[in-house]
């Protein structure tokens, strides 16, 4: 996923959430209580909010990264980070990270940049461009080929996955189905 697509998705879902919340508020105010006409906008607000929160939890690890001169430039959905190549002591590549958001798709390649005091940065990269560039500069590369869940990856390589990926992962399907069921109930009331 590109950074631009993630930003468009988040902006769209934020606008949809706000617009549906305003619509729900107006419908509720006009009716004076919760009623069927206010059920649809409340349901749509709930669905848009779940999509927004899901995007906020999962998009931060997907980046556009490159090595430019003596710096690793990591562009994120919310800003960018520049790391000196000299600060990177080793690179760990998790070649088969299994994320709940991609259970049916290809496995994620997570790149973990380690420095003297621990993990400098961790991100998912679609290719090995950054890894190859750092390897050509003499940075040791460790590749873990086995498939790992977010929780296993976090235990094996601390800092490789976020708390959201570990904690929300198993409950993601239940959260989405629950939100859709609640939205359906609100519409049918």
């Amino acid at each position: 996923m590109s950074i631009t697509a993630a930003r468009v998705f988040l902006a769209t879902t934020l606008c949809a959430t706000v617009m549906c919340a305003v619509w729900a508020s107006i419908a509720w105010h006009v009716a004076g209580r919760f009623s069927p006409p206010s059920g649809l906008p409340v349901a749509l607000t709930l669905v848009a909010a779940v999509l927004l929160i899901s995007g906020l939890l999962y998009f931060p690890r997907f980046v556009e990264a490159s090595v430019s001169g003596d710096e690793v430039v990591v562009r994120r959905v919310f800003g960018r980070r520049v790391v000196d190549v000299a600060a990177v002591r080793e690179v760990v590549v998790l070649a088969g990270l299994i994320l709940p958001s991609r259970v049916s798709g290809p496995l994620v390649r997570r790149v973990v940049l380690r420095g003297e005091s621990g993990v400098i940065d961790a991100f998912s990269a679609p290719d090995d461009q950054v890894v190859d560039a750092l390897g050509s500069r003499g940075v040791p590369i460790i590749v873990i080929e086995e498939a790992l869940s977010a929780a296993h990856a976090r235990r094996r390589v601390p800092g490789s996955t976020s708390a959201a990926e570990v904690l929300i992962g198993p409950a993601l399907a239940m959260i989405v189905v629950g939100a859709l069921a609640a939205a359906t109930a609100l519409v049918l009331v």
Side-chain angles (χ1 to χ4, degrees), residues 35-174:
S35 63
S38 63
L40 179 61
V42 170
L44 291 175
T45 302
L46 180 64
V47 171
V50 167
L51 289 173
L52 177 63
I53 291 167
S54 297
L56 289 171
L57 292 174
Y58 286 107
F59 290 159
R61 291 290 180 155
F62 293 87
V63 303
E64 293 173 357
S66 62
V67 176
S68 177
D70 290 334
E71 299 175 328
V72 179
V73 179
V74 182
R75 273 189 60 225
R76 296 187 180 283
V77 175
F78 301 110
R80 74 183 218 146
R81 182 174 185 183
V82 178
V83 177
D84 287 332
V85 171
V88 180
R89 297 291 180 235
E90 71 179 1
V91 177
V92 179
V93 178
L94 302 173
L97 184 60
I98 303 167
L99 293 178
S101 60
R102 305 185 92 180
V103 262
S104 64
L107 299 177
V108 175
R109 294 184 61 79
R110 182 65 49 95
V111 177
V112 182
L113 306 177
R114 286 184 172 170
E116 281 185 27
S117 60
V119 173
I120 298 171
D121 205 346
F123 52 86
S124 296
D127 56 33
D128 287 330
Q129 181 184 9
V130 171
V131 175
D132 293 341
L134 291 171
S136 69
R137 288 174 168 78
V139 177
I141 309 294
I142 300 168
V143 179
I144 300 173
E145 292 288 341
E146 67 187 273
L148 298 171
S149 68
H152 286 103
R154 190 176 180 103
R155 282 192 296 273
R156 185 137 178 214
V157 182
S160 62
T161 58
S162 69
E165 290 169 323
V166 174
L167 298 175
I168 301 290
L172 182 63
M174 291 187 315

Side-chain angles (χ1 to χ4, degrees), residues 34-44 46 179-189:
F34 183 79
S35 63
S38 63
L40 179 61
V42 170
L44 291 175
L46 180 64
L180 293 175
T184 303
L186 288 170
V187 170
L188 297 176
V189 165

